[in-house]
Amino acid sequence: MMTLSIMSCSNGPVKETQPEEFNFLAERFADLKIMRYQVPGFEEFSLQQKELVYYLSQAAVAGRDILFDQNYKYNLAIRRTLENIIENYKGDRDSDDFQEFMIYSKRVWFSNGIHHHYSKDKFYPEVSRGYFETLIRQTKEGRFPMREGQEKEEFIAEIIPVIFDENIAPKAVSQESGKDLLLNSACNFYDGVTQIEAEEFYKNLKSYAAKNGSDTLVSFGLNSKLMKRNGIISEEVYKLGGLYSQAIEQIIYWLKKAATVAENSHQQKVIESLVKYYETGDLTVWDEYNVLWVKDMDSHIDFVNGFIETYGDPMGMKATWESVVNFKDVVATKRAVIISENAQWFEDNSPVEPRFKKSEVKGVSAKVITAAQLGGDCYPSTPIGINLPNADWIRKEHGSKSVTIENITYAYDQASLGNGMIEEFAGSTEEIDLAKKYGSQASNLHTDLHECLGHGSGQLLPGTRGDELKNYGSPLEEARADLFALFYMADPKLVELGLFDNEGIYKVEYNSYIRNGLITQLTRIEPGKSIEQAHMRSRQLIAAWSYEMGKDANVIEKFIKDEKTYVKVNDHKALQMIFGKMLAEIQRIKSEGDYEAGRDLIEKYAVQVDQALHSEVLTRFKKLNLAPYGGFLNPVFVPVTVKGKIVDVKIEYPDDYTGQMLGYSKNFSFLPTYN
Ligand code: ZN
């Protein structure tokens, strides 16, 4: 699974590169911002490693067309129409209308189609149909993606309603209950098939496999389109010689080159196995590949490439194509390893009652990676964490890889520095300065403690099953992991382990956690709504409860200045003790399965929103005019050749979003318009 959300409080790691020399924010339009990320460490690679990254990166962008077609059958036609106008229209390009046309084009590139990448709703150009038709008519050069024998006017009559008509394909993925999910979704995984027919088809396929002794654990339907032709339903498989063959051929070409420069023989097997899967479309080979992939822990360079996530299919079966090329961030991974290796010390010394503690605790060692290239469903909007493979049986029997992508979170944070968020909501200039200085280190440390120790700490009493807390279980679990992290942030043990050397770090984390839990996370809640999301409930629970526990001693102060509400932590050491008390109580609730106590805490502190404060916060936030969604430009790897042989690979960081998109469409577009 992909971790998509970016915590509003996180601030990324501190790297040796000087951020002021690198422009992290490239462009802003509509509700989007386009950022750039750096790939520190690439230059130090051996030639063989550089070549490997280069070949895998080529494979990562070679499948771009596939995703466009998967999202909606007209997406490639529309993208090619837009691009032909952009490249060949000779009329007024400075007019407001043309600027709006460009924004629409940029949004289509960003969403890999005409539906919003997040909401899945169709979006529309802010120009008239007439203007759009004129653009097509007056673009005489180049080529529009017309069907065979189609006249330009016929083409206009077909394509314009698809773009403008609100009744045509309004939603890419519909989850509306009571309606046929497939007939109401525009995504292109099913053709002429109803939801009931699709469910029936895969039920039969599974029982057929069971009867014939073949593999029943494969991810049925993952890499195919289900279609009905002349009353017969069948799958068209994504593979060489099958659906999307022209793009898959290119992916295979680059993967084969990558196999020749693999870091070790195991990694070579991993790549060859993926090639075999693309050649055959066989899902048992896909599983074999995943088992090999998950066991490859030693290679420095790693990658994801395939039909992987199923969020784009309302039935959650069919996977969209994606790729991420990455390598280990050695310094950051070391940090996580140190924490993991000391897991027992943290468990033994936690403020929790001894009978709720694990006598033997194993820390989870999270790997931190640096992304080098993003493709398909990970581009330009990208996850900040990856946890794969998705098949449950492989996770159970062979484990999974869980990684956080630190150069991406770092770029997010650098791009948002100076966007006014901290300045608007922090209680003092001292707090702002501290946040800018240590915010990134602090939030990384918090994440490590939360992931490597927090969730794995503590034990259930005999007789407690673990599901007693029901719907309150996940916010309480997140609160438990957060409190474990918060409590230890201020412990001298972290200094002793060399994890930080300045107490500003935990102070920053305490300030931002309380500020986020009581104020800034409200910016993500719609007016009149209460808090539902587990992580958000956990944060408000901790912030509101600790505010109340420290009220008499004024540990956390709320104040109003110029009609704006602020919070301020007055006593960080006292707050640490409060976090310890809360951790002990939430661990007790979990260990004993005390549903009533858990429910009361959540309902009292974590759900309701102060309406007056909420509307004040929303007003302040709106004035900052921030883009809610972001994506990234890819760096480009340029091989340096002497007599046809690669002698070096250089990395370049383009800053022209339109240029990169047009370049991809020119050099990495292999599919026909209609598939
Ligand atoms: Zn968690």
Side-chain angles (χ1 to χ4, degrees):
M1 268 163 281
M2 296 283 170
T3 312
L4 287 160
S5 72
I6 174 113
M7 285 200 302
S8 55
C9 59
S10 90
N11 273 303
V14 171
K15 296 267 156 72
E16 303 89 72
T17 42
Q18 272 95 45
E20 56 274 18
E21 290 172 8
F22 189 85
N23 197 2
F24 286 91
L25 187 60
E27 199 175 336
R28 259 214 63 177
F29 52 87
D31 57 353
L32 305 169
K33 62 180 167 198
I34 305 297
M35 294 165 283
R36 305 160 74 215
Y37 61 96
Q38 292 170 303
V39 189
F42 177 79
E43 268 98 354
E44 284 86 71
F45 279 170
S46 69
L47 175 60
Q48 188 185 342
Q49 288 177 310
K50 284 180 176 176
E51 271 189 76
L52 180 58
V53 170
Y54 167 63
Y55 295 139
L56 291 172
S57 295
Q58 296 290 99
V61 289
R64 176 169 173 258
D65 279 358
I66 296 175
L67 182 67
F68 273 83
D69 193 72
Q70 287 183 307
N71 283 342
Y72 181 41
K73 62 184 175 185
Y74 274 102
N75 278 340
L76 285 171
I78 292 169
R79 193 191 80 199
R80 286 171 180 163
T81 301
L82 302 172
E83 287 165 352
N84 195 42
I85 294 168
I86 293 169
E87 291 184 314
N88 296 301
Y89 177 66
K90 299 281 193 287
D92 182 4
R93 297 172 76 101
D94 297 322
S95 69
D96 290 349
D97 272 347
F98 195 82
Q99 294 309 311
E100 286 296 344
F101 163 80
M102 280 308 298
I103 289 173
Y104 177 71
S105 303
K106 289 175 186 180
R107 296 184 72 190
V108 171
W109 286 324
F110 190 95
S111 290
N112 294 288
I114 64 169
H115 299 89
H116 192 277
H117 75 289
Y118 194 78
S119 75
K120 305 294 178 191
D121 292 325
K122 183 162 146 185
F123 55 85
Y124 302 88
E126 304 271 329
V127 297
S128 69
R129 274 178 190 233
Y131 177 74
F132 214 109
E133 289 176 6
T134 309
L135 287 177
I136 299 177
R137 284 195 190 103
Q138 292 184 354
T139 303
K140 309 280 188 206
E141 285 161 40
R143 264 181 61 209
F144 283 103
M146 292 188 265
R147 294 178 192 272
E148 219 176 277
Q150 200 172 34
E151 295 294 325
K152 204 172 200 180
E153 287 305 318
E154 291 168 341
F155 168 70
I156 290 173
E158 182 179 2
I159 207 86
I160 290 292
V162 179
I163 296 172
F164 283 91
D165 197 325
E166 292 181 17
N167 297 312
I168 297 176
K171 217 161 169 64
V173 184
S174 168
Q175 293 290 0
E176 207 178 328
S177 63
K179 284 191 176 173
D180 188 297
L181 295 181
L182 302 189
L183 300 182
N184 285 285
S185 298
C187 58
N188 195 17
F189 300 108
Y190 306 88
D191 187 3
V193 185
T194 66
Q195 186 183 345
I196 291 170
E197 286 171 333
E199 283 165 356
E200 192 70 9
F201 180 89
Y202 285 106
K203 210 177 92 193
N204 291 341
L205 207 61
K206 275 173 213 169
S207 62
Y208 180 83
K211 263 186 235 145
N212 288 276
S214 43
D215 193 343
T216 55
L217 292 173
V218 297
S219 310
F220 290 100
L222 188 75
N223 63 339
S224 66
K225 183 171 173 176
L226 194 65
M227 22 224 287
K228 192 171 178 179
R229 292 280 182 274
N230 305 318
I232 294 166
I233 299 176
S234 65
E235 279 187 318
E236 204 175 334
V237 177
Y238 310 150
K239 62 170 186 174
L240 191 67
L243 190 51
Y244 303 140
S245 184
Q246 302 90 333
I248 288 171
E249 194 183 317
Q250 295 291 324
I251 297 168
I252 291 173
Y253 172 84
W254 292 110
L255 287 177
K256 281 185 170 169
K257 288 203 168 265
T260 65
V261 289
E263 289 183 273
N264 50 62
S265 62
H266 183 85
Q267 188 179 51
Q268 191 184 337
K269 265 191 222 143
V270 172
I271 300 172
E272 286 167 356
S273 167
L274 182 60
V275 168
K276 189 176 159 201
Y277 163 66
Y278 275 128
E279 285 171 345
T280 60
D282 184 341
L283 287 168
T284 59
V285 179
W286 173 242
D287 282 349
E288 282 166 26
Y289 155 75
N290 274 294
V291 171
L292 285 169
W293 178 79
V294 87
K295 286 182 179 157
D296 180 13
M297 299 297 280
D298 297 330
S299 304
H300 193 68
I301 295 160
D302 202 356
F303 70 103
V304 171
N305 188 310
F307 300 96
I308 294 172
E309 300 293 348
T310 56
Y311 306 113
D313 171 13
M315 285 179 55
M317 298 185 80
K318 316 248 162 232
T320 48
W321 188 84
E322 69 176 39
S323 184
V324 177
V325 182
N326 64 80
F327 54 87
K328 215 181 274 181
D329 179 335
V330 179
V331 175
T333 300
K334 206 177 275 170
R335 195 181 64 216
V337 169
I338 291 174
I339 290 170
S340 265
E341 283 173 353
N342 288 277
Q344 193 66 51
W345 185 91
F346 287 102
E347 182 77 353
D348 293 344
N349 290 280
S350 90
V352 158
E353 254 189 77
R355 64 196 175 111
F356 302 144
K357 289 183 187 178
K358 275 198 180 97
S359 52
E360 221 178 302
V361 58
K362 257 186 91 188
V364 180
S365 199
K367 194 169 87 164
V368 182
I369 60 168
T370 302
Q373 195 79 177
L374 311 166
D377 221 355
C378 295
Y379 170 86
S381 171
T382 189
I384 56 164
I386 303 173
N387 193 331
L388 290 173
N390 282 332
D392 278 328
W393 76 269
I394 300 178
R395 299 172 72 86
K396 215 178 279 168
E397 282 178 33
H398 303 280
S400 62
K401 283 189 206 172
S402 174
V403 300
T404 51
I405 313 177
E406 213 157 275
N407 63 329
I408 294 292
T409 50
Y410 182 66
Y412 261 112
D413 296 330
Q414 291 301 323
S416 63
L417 277 185
N419 69 6
M421 190 74 186
I422 303 175
E423 288 81 356
E424 175 61 39
F425 290 102
S428 69
T429 46
E430 187 199 351
E431 207 174 307
I432 296 167
D433 293 344
L434 216 54
K436 289 194 165 166
K437 212 164 165 187
Y438 300 117
S440 47
Q441 278 167 285
S443 82
N444 281 329
L445 198 53
H446 178 110
T447 305
D448 287 344
L449 292 166
H450 176 114
E451 301 292 349
C452 303
L453 300 178
H455 282 303
S457 69
Q459 68 174 0
L460 303 180
L461 286 187
T464 305
R465 289 189 319 273
D467 57 1
E468 287 85 355
L469 303 177
K470 296 180 197 161
N471 54 321
Y472 299 108
S474 51
L476 288 166
E477 176 57 20
E478 289 311 322
R480 200 176 68 88
D482 262 355
L483 285 166
F484 201 95
L486 289 166
F487 177 77
Y488 276 118
M489 288 286 295
D491 197 289
K493 182 75 179 177
L494 295 198
V495 180
E496 189 190 304
L497 292 174
L499 293 168
F500 70 83
D501 54 8
N502 190 303
E503 61 174 25
I505 290 189
Y506 82 80
K507 287 187 174 165
V508 163
E509 188 58 24
Y510 283 17
N511 293 343
S512 76
Y513 197 94
I514 297 296
R515 186 170 67 237
N516 191 30
L518 291 176
I519 295 186
T520 44
Q521 74 166 2
L522 294 176
T523 57
R524 295 159 65 184
I525 302 286
E526 282 177 44
K529 296 262 168 72
S530 58
I531 299 178
E532 286 179 34
Q533 209 270 344
H535 291 86
M536 294 181 74
R537 282 188 166 188
S538 143
R539 286 181 218 125
Q540 181 166 304
L541 166 68
I542 291 172
W545 190 14
S546 54
Y547 171 73
E548 194 166 294
M549 279 172 87
K551 212 166 185 179
D552 294 338
N554 202 22
V555 176
I556 299 168
E557 188 183 335
K558 272 189 202 172
F559 66 95
I560 293 177
K561 203 173 108 189
D562 303 331
E563 293 173 22
K564 291 175 177 178
T565 310
Y566 298 93
V567 288
K568 184 168 170 276
V569 178
N570 285 323
D571 188 341
H572 293 83
K573 271 286 160 197
L575 184 55
Q576 186 202 14
M577 293 304 119
I578 290 174
F579 287 150
K581 272 188 205 152
M582 288 163 49
L583 173 60
E585 172 61 4
I586 290 183
Q587 183 61 56
R588 182 199 67 75
I589 289 171
K590 177 168 177 168
S591 295
E592 294 178 354
D594 187 346
Y595 173 78
E596 282 76 22
R599 177 199 59 202
D600 292 351
L601 273 180
I602 296 287
E603 291 296 342
K604 183 168 179 200
Y605 295 107
V607 179
Q608 294 311 320
V609 174
D610 177 335
Q611 295 300 322
L613 175 65
H614 190 198
S615 82
E616 175 206 310
V617 167
L618 289 178
T619 309
R620 289 162 71 184
F621 183 65
K622 206 172 165 214
K623 279 196 190 133
L624 298 174
N625 191 26
L626 302 178
Y629 306 102
F632 290 89
L633 282 170
N634 267 325
V636 178
F637 297 96
V638 185
V640 182
T641 55
V642 174
K643 291 178 189 156
K645 205 178 167 325
I646 297 180
V647 293
D648 195 11
V649 180
K650 298 271 182 222
I651 184 167
E652 289 174 1
Y653 297 103
D655 56 9
D656 175 10
Y657 172 69
T658 298
Q660 180 152 88
M661 289 300 180
L662 290 174
Y664 282 165
S665 295
K666 196 171 163 213
N667 302 315
F668 295 94
S669 185
F670 306 110
L671 293 184
T673 300
Y674 300 101
N675 290 275

